[in-house]
């Protein structure tokens, strides 16, 4: 069976629960389809509210809600802009925190390319702009890809320690 190895008290899965799980906390922030697709569009260069709603295919109310949530979580910052003769509006620019989600979103894309696009193949390729070489997301250590069966999860705190 392919599974990660669990060290220390983690090895007895009946004695602990993942109550402070980073994956769960991340899903609380970006766990909706519209939030992930807004991030996709931001990585493609979209910054304006109307463009997010149109390109993602969501209502303005949903776009406003998601952009407000993602901004409150620090993934975007609002920056004012003004077209000649128009009122001041805001565009949404990725922060470092938002840019740091890129590997996770690309991993979803890569998985979808492999398992969900069989008939036509991947609709978009990823290439390094400097070398032209293909880009892919991998779990790596010491220059090699680490398969699930060779991944070891270790506790970063002692059993029974209070967690924030």
């Amino acid at each position: 069976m392919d599974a990660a190895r669990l060290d220390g008290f983690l090895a007895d899965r009946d004695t602990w629960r993942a109550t402070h799980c980073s994956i769960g906390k991340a899903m609380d922030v970006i766990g909706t389809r519209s939030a992930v697709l807004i991030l996709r569009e931001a990585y493609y260069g979209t910054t304006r509210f109307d463009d997010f709603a149109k390109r993602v295919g969501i209502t303005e109310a949903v776009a406003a809600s998601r952009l407000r949530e993602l901004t409150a979580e620090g993934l975007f910052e609002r920056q004012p802009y003004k077209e000649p003769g128009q009122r001041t509006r805001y565009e949404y620019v990725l922060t470092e925190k938002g840019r740091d989600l890129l590997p996770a979103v690309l991993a979803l894309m890569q998985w979808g390319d492999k398992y969900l696009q069989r008939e036509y193949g991947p609709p978009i390729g990823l290439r390094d702009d400097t070398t032209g070489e293909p880009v892919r997301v991998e779990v790596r250590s010491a220059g090699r890809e680490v398969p699930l069966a060779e991944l070891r999860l270790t506790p970063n705190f002692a059993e029974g320690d209070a967690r924030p």
Side-chain angles (χ1 to χ4, degrees):
M1 177 173 116
D2 281 343
R5 296 178 191 178
L6 303 174
D7 274 355
F9 69 85
L10 298 177
D12 185 357
R13 294 183 59 225
D14 291 332
T15 64
W16 64 276
R17 298 276 179 260
T19 55
H20 298 285
C21 172
S22 296
I23 295 169
K25 288 178 182 241
M27 292 305 295
D28 288 343
V29 174
I30 60 154
T32 65
R33 180 180 191 276
S34 57
V36 175
L37 295 181
I38 284 171
L39 285 166
R40 174 199 68 193
E41 289 305 318
Y43 299 136
Y44 291 171
T46 301
T47 60
R48 299 199 174 168
F49 175 86
D50 292 340
D51 293 334
F52 281 115
K54 181 174 60 177
R55 291 191 53 83
V56 173
I58 54 179
T59 66
E60 288 187 1
V62 171
S65 178
R66 291 302 164 266
L67 285 165
R68 187 171 34 258
E69 292 165 359
L70 294 169
T71 300
E73 286 290 344
L75 279 70
F76 286 99
E77 66 179 25
R78 289 176 11 134
Q79 294 182 350
Y81 72 92
K82 187 173 182 175
E83 302 274 344
Q86 300 290 319
R87 65 180 172 87
T88 299
R89 300 186 75 183
Y90 292 90
E91 59 185 1
Y92 295 84
V93 179
L94 286 164
T95 63
E96 178 182 3
K97 186 176 181 180
R99 289 187 304 272
D100 280 351
L101 267 173
L102 178 64
V105 174
L106 291 181
L108 286 171
M109 178 181 167
Q110 188 173 300
W111 181 86
D113 287 348
K114 182 175 180 177
Y115 294 105
L116 306 175
Q117 297 286 357
R118 291 184 183 258
E119 186 175 341
Y120 300 106
I124 295 175
L126 297 172
R127 297 205 171 269
D128 181 321
D129 193 40
T130 302
T131 66
E133 292 296 315
V135 172
R136 58 177 275 109
V137 177
E138 297 177 336
V139 177
R140 298 186 69 81
S141 174
R144 71 177 192 91
E145 190 167 359
V146 180
L148 177 59
E150 294 178 25
L151 188 63
R152 182 179 302 271
L153 282 68
T154 59
N156 282 334
F157 57 94
E159 183 176 16
D161 280 357
R163 297 291 293 171

